[in-house]
Amino acid sequence: MRVKVLSRNPDDYVRETKLDLQRVPRNYDPVLHPFEVAREYTRALNATKLERVFAKPFLSSLDGHRDGVNCMAKHPKSLSTVLSGACDGEVKIWNLTKRQCIRTIQAHEGFVRGMCARFCGTSFFTVGDDKTVKQWKMESPEYGEEEEPIHTILGKTVYTGIDHHWKEPVFATCGHQVDIWDEQRTSPKCSLTWGFDSISSVKFNPIETYLLGSCASDRNIVLYDMRKSTPLKKVILNMRTNTLCWNPMEAFIFTAANEDYNLYTFDMRFLESPVMVHMDHVSAVLDVDYSPTGKEFVSASFDKSIRIFPVDKGHSREVYHTKRMQHVITVKWTSDNKYILCGSDEMNIRLWKANASEKLGVLAPREKAAMNYNQKLKEKFQFHPQIRRIAQHRHLPKSIYCQIKEQRIMREARRRKELNRRKHSKPGSVPFVPERKKHIVAVVK
């Protein structure tokens, strides 16, 4: 006689302790779960709605400056330290964990035009309207010691920007020309010039550290090689570029912030057309900074907002603004990829979350698993109309909203005019010009 019995392993359903979750047997055969996709869609929709509910990116504002914040610098070794320079010549060092100023220096007369920290983090450099380059200790002076710079270099013209080499005791300044300095000398090692115009910013490449990029007020972006002591090539755009930032993960990629409301991501080997044109701002873009992952960057604009762009997308994924925030002059993405700092006209530095709905603090393992699951669901259903509409919707200030509408009408009018011209002209006489090539005037090598 054959008897059928149920045979179960207690390990599959018995809890080890009372605190463990009850183990539930699951059969993953898709035939037994006909409504799985519908259920997942509902979960994805709820996850997207909750993401927008919990999207509160603004963390705090650092008050203390008595004039507009003109420039900022990150500490290369300490995540909690950031430096800021104002239009009244004052430099402040902030502790982000305590959210307070730990040191104030009256560094220059007039604007602090630029600042950068040394690669080891022991000192930092500032340049200002008083034609000087000053090097300061990062540590506060001892009791009874005067607050004085380590070195002061007096130049012949106003310096508008400064950046330090990522590995060597060398820094570059810009103004009438680009000067490369050794820290131990009071005269530049070499001066690089191409044309005669004021240069607004200079940046070292973080990977190929001998490469520099600079932006001039005659609409040029010029690339230099420090080993050859000569300019390599330049690209001329329709309007002036305010600053540029190199991608920290891809040596040849950089993004330029332009006066024509756009940002351009270039591959320096093929400057004939940008890799991507990022369009969303409604006023001049004043600053740009990459995230440490190299996948995204943040831009600051004259339209009183900051935007986060993916490198490979033409439109921003996020826009941050407050009622009190005025023209945003400088912006930085912190080295742990979690926060964004922006400095604006009305004397405030603001701290934002890079991911607006991210929960701060320690996450329980179940919380982390649920977040990862929801994230995957949102990615799976991201192109469904309802989910896409909720995920992309942003409330904008009335001024920006009206300008976006106005620009859309102008763009449509230009497109219609071009179509009409092409329709009533000889075939081939009005060529199709792609958006990427419209803004490039010339490339000079």
Side-chain angles (χ1 to χ4, degrees), residues 89-347:
E90 200 173 61
V91 169
K92 283 185 180 286
I93 301 176
W94 303 87
N95 186 324
L96 293 181
T97 37
K98 294 178 183 173
R99 297 180 189 177
Q100 64 187 31
C101 174
I102 53 176
R103 189 167 158 217
T104 304
I105 306 165
Q106 187 58 46
H108 295 276
E109 293 170 16
F111 283 40
V112 180
R113 288 288 175 189
M115 61 196 311
C116 65
R118 198 172 187 270
F119 60 90
C120 61
T122 54
S123 61
F124 64 93
F125 295 82
T126 61
V127 292
D129 276 358
D130 52 5
K131 303 183 185 177
T132 56
V133 182
K134 293 183 182 179
Q135 184 182 3
W136 306 83
K137 275 186 191 168
M138 195 67 78
E139 306 301 320
S140 298
E142 300 293 326
Y143 180 72
E145 197 181 333
E146 288 289 319
E147 183 77 87
E148 287 185 345
I150 307 169
H151 298 301
T152 303
I153 299 167
L154 189 59
K156 292 175 183 172
T157 56
V158 173
Y159 296 111
T160 53
I162 186 168
D163 197 31
H164 201 285
H165 196 279
W166 290 77
K167 290 175 183 169
E168 293 171 17
V170 172
F171 64 92
T173 60
C174 62
H176 184 60
Q177 59 194 14
V178 173
D179 293 324
I180 311 290
W181 305 76
D182 192 305
E183 284 181 14
Q184 306 302 321
R185 293 172 59 180
T186 55
S187 57
K189 286 201 312 185
C190 67
S191 296
L192 307 164
T193 180
W194 192 350
F196 299 95
D197 222 309
S198 60
I199 295 160
S200 57
S201 82
V202 63
K203 291 284 168 70
F204 274 101
N205 191 317
I207 304 167
E208 303 291 349
T209 50
Y210 48 81
L211 288 175
L212 296 104
S214 74
C215 309
S217 57
D218 57 355
R219 303 175 300 158
N220 290 344
I221 300 172
V222 189
L223 303 175
Y224 307 95
D225 191 331
M226 215 167 68
R227 299 167 301 179
K228 291 169 69 178
S229 303
T230 53
L232 288 175
K233 47 175 121 172
K234 69 176 172 181
V235 56
I236 305 167
L237 279 78
N238 276 334
M239 290 183 80
R240 193 181 77 196
T241 303
N242 287 314
T243 186
L244 61 86
C245 187
W246 295 93
N247 190 320
M249 288 291 159
E250 294 179 277
F252 299 104
I253 304 292
F254 66 89
T255 297
N258 204 278
E259 285 279 327
D260 65 358
Y261 316 169
N262 298 339
L263 294 112
Y264 301 97
T265 298
F266 283 96
D267 186 328
M268 67 170 280
R269 298 164 295 179
F270 314 106
L271 290 174
E272 285 73 25
S273 73
V275 179
M276 184 61 67
V277 181
H278 309 274
M279 321 165 74
D280 259 347
H281 282 295
V282 293
S283 194
V285 189
L286 301 179
D287 200 10
V288 60
D289 192 38
Y290 264 94
S291 74
T293 59
K295 298 275 177 70
E296 292 180 320
F297 60 84
V298 60
S299 63
S301 171
F302 202 73
D303 64 12
K304 308 175 188 177
S305 70
I306 61 174
R307 287 182 183 266
I308 300 172
F309 289 88
V311 175
D312 54 349
K313 300 276 194 306
H315 293 284
S316 62
R317 73 158 172 87
E318 201 63 80
V319 54
Y320 294 160
H321 53 85
T322 66
K323 281 186 178 177
R324 282 189 59 204
M325 190 154 79
Q326 294 303 306
H327 312 306
V328 191
I329 299 168
T330 176
V331 72
K332 284 281 177 275
W333 199 311
T334 57
S335 303
D336 61 349
N337 198 33
K338 280 187 177 292
Y339 306 103
I340 287 166
L341 289 150
C342 70
S344 49
D345 255 357
E346 84 309 333
M347 306 177 280

